[in-house]
Amino acid sequence: MRLISRPRFARLVAWIVFATGFALVCAPSAAQTATSGGRATERPTPPHTAYSSHCGRWDFGAQVGYTMEYGLNWHEVSHIQMLIAQPQLGYIVRDFAHSPVRSLEIIDEGILGGAVHPRSSYLLGDACILRLSGKEYGRWVPFVDAGAGVQRTPLSKYVPEVNGYTQFTPQGGIGLEYFLRPQRAIVFEWRTVHMSNADLVPPNMGFNSSMLTVGFRWWKKPN
C-alpha cells in the first residue's frame, strides 16, 4: 500500500490552498462594525506591537534546509537526502486586526541545491506558498504554510522513486519567526514535502520527505 496517492495529494493541497485564500480574502473585514444607525464604520485599529506589526506589504528572505526521505513506503528505499537554499519574495495580501490569524501572505520561493545521497544531483525550481501568520507572543510569531512547486533534477538517474527530469512538490508545514528587532526575524520551519512527476513519465511512484529550514526575513517598512 502506498503512503500517499500523488494525484489525489496534489489536488487536495491545491483545493486547501485555494479555499483558504479565497475565504480569507473575501471575508468581511473584522475592522468594520455596524453603528446604531445601521451604517458600517471603520473601527479603530489597535496600536502596533513592537516587533511583528507595523510592516509594509513586501518582505524578502532566504533560508537553507535539509530534507530526508521518510522511508515509510515500500518503494522508498534510497534514503534520499538533499541540501537546499531558498530565496524568498513575499507579499502580505491582507492583515487581520481582530482575529487569531494576523496576516495572509503569498511567497514566491526559489529552490537551489541538490541531492547529497545516494548520489549527487542538482535541484532547481520554484514554489508558490500561502502563509497564515498567527498572533505575536513576545518576540515569537507562529505560522502555517501550504503550497506547491515545480523542479528540475536528474535524480531519476540514480533512484527508482522518481522518473523524468520534471518533478512537482506539494508541501505544507509549520514554523516560528523570532524577531531580533522590528521588521527583522529569524525563521525556523518544518515541512512535509512530496515529490513526483504527476504521471508525466511512468511509473511515477514518487516519495515523501521531511524538511527542516532556518532563515532570515526582512520586512519593508510601510510608507
Side-chain angles (χ1 to χ4, degrees), residues 138-218:
R139 291 174 180 256
W140 295 94
V141 173
F143 62 85
V144 176
D145 280 351
V150 59
Q151 302 175 2
R152 177 84 174 174
T153 178
L155 186 59
S156 60
K157 293 181 179 180
Y158 313 115
V159 301
E161 288 91 330
V162 294
N163 290 324
Y165 279 76
T166 301
Q167 304 293 323
F168 299 92
T169 53
Q171 56 196 275
I174 56 176
L176 287 170
E177 296 168 343
Y178 178 77
F179 281 80
L180 303 172
R181 59 191 179 94
Q183 293 92 38
R184 305 290 187 272
I186 299 175
V187 185
F188 307 93
E189 186 178 9
W190 169 84
R191 291 185 196 170
T192 182
V193 182
H194 175 77
M195 179 182 286
S196 61
N197 66 32
D199 291 326
L200 294 178
V201 181
N204 186 37
M205 293 185 291
F207 70 96
N208 302 287
S209 61
S210 179
M211 180 173 75
L212 293 174
T213 60
V214 60
F216 181 81
R217 300 189 79 202
W218 169 74

Side-chain angles (χ1 to χ4, degrees), residues 121-135:
S121 58
Y122 72 83
L123 184 72
L124 297 174
D126 194 77
C128 181
I129 305 296
L130 286 184
R131 175 168 295 179
L132 296 176
S133 296
K135 289 183 177 180

Side-chain angles (χ1 to χ4, degrees), residues 24-214:
L24 289 173
V25 172
C26 298
S29 173
Q32 289 189 342
T33 184
T35 64
S36 58
R39 181 167 54 90
T41 59
E42 289 292 330
R43 197 159 51 186
T45 301
H48 291 297
T49 54
Y51 297 103
S52 65
S53 297
H54 201 55
C55 297
R57 291 289 179 185
W58 293 96
D59 59 76
F60 310 89
Q63 61 189 30
V64 293
Y66 166 78
T67 73
M68 182 173 64
E69 184 179 26
Y70 285 123
L72 299 178
N73 211 330
W74 65 269
H75 67 271
E76 294 179 341
V77 297
S78 302
H79 309 290
I80 300 168
Q81 299 175 44
M82 299 182 183
L83 293 177
I84 57 172
Q86 297 175 306
Q88 297 174 326
L89 173 63
Y91 180 76
I92 299 175
V93 177
R94 186 167 180 180
D95 292 306
F96 303 92
H98 306 280
S99 169
V101 177
R102 189 196 67 190
S103 65
L104 168 65
E105 182 179 356
I106 297 176
I107 300 174
D108 180 71
E109 186 176 82
I111 303 168
L112 308 169
V116 295
H117 185 274
R119 291 284 298 276
S120 177
S121 58
Y122 72 83
L123 184 72
L124 297 174
D126 194 77
C128 181
I129 305 296
L130 286 184
R131 175 168 295 179
L132 296 176
S133 296
K135 289 183 177 180
E136 182 181 272
Y137 297 91
R139 291 174 180 256
W140 295 94
V141 173
F143 62 85
V144 176
D145 280 351
V150 59
Q151 302 175 2
R152 177 84 174 174
T153 178
L155 186 59
S156 60
K157 293 181 179 180
Y158 313 115
V159 301
E161 288 91 330
V162 294
N163 290 324
Y165 279 76
T166 301
Q167 304 293 323
F168 299 92
T169 53
Q171 56 196 275
I174 56 176
L176 287 170
E177 296 168 343
Y178 178 77
F179 281 80
L180 303 172
R181 59 191 179 94
Q183 293 92 38
R184 305 290 187 272
I186 299 175
V187 185
F188 307 93
E189 186 178 9
W190 169 84
R191 291 185 196 170
T192 182
V193 182
H194 175 77
M195 179 182 286
S196 61
N197 66 32
D199 291 326
L200 294 178
V201 181
N204 186 37
M205 293 185 291
F207 70 96
N208 302 287
S209 61
S210 179
M211 180 173 75
L212 293 174
T213 60
V214 60

